Amino acid sequence: MNRPSLKRPCLLAVALMALSLCAGSDFKRPASEARLRVLFVGNSLTYFNELPSMVEALAEASGQKRLAFKAIVFGGYSLEDHWNQGDARRAIERGGWDVVVLQQGPSASTEGRQSLLAYTRRFSEEIRRAGARPALYMVWPSVGRKQDFDGVAESYSQAAEEAAGLLFPAGEAWRGAWRRDPKLELYSADGLHPTVAGSYLAALIIYEGLYGQSPVGLPSTFKLRSGARIELPPEQARLMQEAAAEANKRFGRR
């Protein structure tokens, strides 16, 4: 099987350590330039493979409104951790965002679901007060807990519904892609974090959720602002684009 690659002068270290990232936005550009301003709040499932930058690159390649984003992401963080740590709340309060994307771990357990719902509610109040709309980035369980896919989907769907927010069903897109090709490698070696293909599939979901445009026909090869080059086999990319479009149609929330 042809495997996707992410090429760059120096590969990023992706250990599970605290990370705060601010990238992808050029706030010195003319104010007249139309931009979609998005704040990502999450953990390593957001920052692995530079997911927000993938969305930015796909938007640029398809001629969409420029994505101006900031990502506040720390390894292993839940939304409760972000709430207590404070950086995300301060960024929301400063305003200027169109959408704030919230993400924590799989949250299939009773405790995880309760935490996701409680802190989505708290963040959503702040997000709406600042004039933005909340969005939930649905992730996936670890490879050893595949039986939790339904639980993950239910937790994130319920959180998005209660928040009257957007839902980006990446976990459902993964399942849809596997129905098309069971051998597709979406998990990295650690059994939780995504491969480049897994992040690409999530980026397709988020792209359509933000811009309202089908991901079918988006490029399979493109460059990120960091210099990283994303390369996927075209036939594999097409399969994932179709899976993303299907998942957004069936499970997404706008």
Side-chain angles (χ1 to χ4, degrees):
M1 176 186 297
N2 291 325
R3 297 188 181 185
S5 64
L6 189 158
K7 298 179 180 178
R8 65 183 63 200
C10 295
L11 292 176
L12 293 176
V14 287
L16 287 176
M17 60 179 66
L19 172 69
S20 181
L21 170 69
C22 177
S25 301
D26 185 352
F27 292 99
K28 295 182 181 180
R29 287 180 172 269
S32 60
E33 181 182 348
R35 286 174 287 180
L36 180 66
R37 294 177 178 269
V38 179
L39 175 64
F40 291 85
V41 178
N43 56 38
S44 55
L45 297 180
T46 292
Y47 71 67
F48 244 60
N49 301 315
E50 303 178 67
L51 173 63
S53 288
M54 283 194 187
V55 181
E56 177 194 34
L58 292 172
E60 182 177 358
S62 58
Q64 301 297 331
K65 184 185 298 186
R66 181 180 177 84
L67 180 66
F69 74 86
K70 178 175 181 177
I72 298 177
V73 284
F74 295 93
Y77 260 41
S78 66
L79 292 181
E80 179 179 6
D81 294 325
H82 275 292
W83 183 266
N84 294 333
Q85 196 269 346
D87 283 358
R89 291 166 62 189
R90 287 186 286 273
I92 293 166
E93 289 169 2
R94 283 193 292 271
W97 307 109
D98 297 302
V99 178
V100 179
V101 182
L102 304 174
Q103 174 264 315
Q104 67 175 32
S107 307
S109 68
T110 299
E111 180 181 0
R113 179 174 299 176
Q114 290 174 346
S115 177
L116 177 66
L117 294 174
Y119 284 91
T120 293
R121 285 192 289 267
R122 293 192 185 191
F123 270 112
S124 293
E125 290 176 1
E126 299 295 325
I127 291 165
R128 292 193 181 283
R129 188 175 296 118
R133 190 171 184 193
L136 275 294
Y137 162 31
M138 178 202 296
V139 291
W140 46 84
S142 66
V143 70
R145 300 285 306 178
K146 282 190 173 182
Q147 70 272 17
D148 286 344
F149 262 98
D150 285 341
V152 175
E154 175 59 28
S155 293
Y156 276 86
S157 296
Q158 187 176 338
E161 183 174 358
E162 289 192 10
L166 305 170
L167 177 64
F168 303 149
E172 292 290 1
W174 277 35
R175 290 207 280 189
W178 279 323
R179 285 193 292 271
R180 291 165 167 80
D181 180 3
K183 295 182 179 180
L184 191 61
E185 295 181 5
L186 301 179
Y187 285 111
S188 65
D190 68 10
L192 174 62
H193 292 92
T195 59
V196 172
S199 293
Y200 176 77
L201 185 45
L204 296 172
I205 283 284
I206 295 171
Y207 165 88
E208 183 175 7
L210 291 175
Y211 290 99
Q213 300 295 319
S214 171
V216 177
L218 288 173
S220 61
T221 299
F222 51 92
K223 192 180 228 182
L224 306 184
R225 290 175 68 89
S226 66
R229 185 170 178 80
I230 305 299
E231 295 182 358
L232 298 105
E235 67 279 4
Q236 187 183 88
R238 178 76 182 195
L239 177 156
M240 290 190 287
Q241 291 163 11
E242 292 172 354
E246 178 187 69
N248 272 326
K249 182 177 181 179
R250 294 182 59 194
F251 305 105
R253 195 178 191 283
R254 293 191 55 80

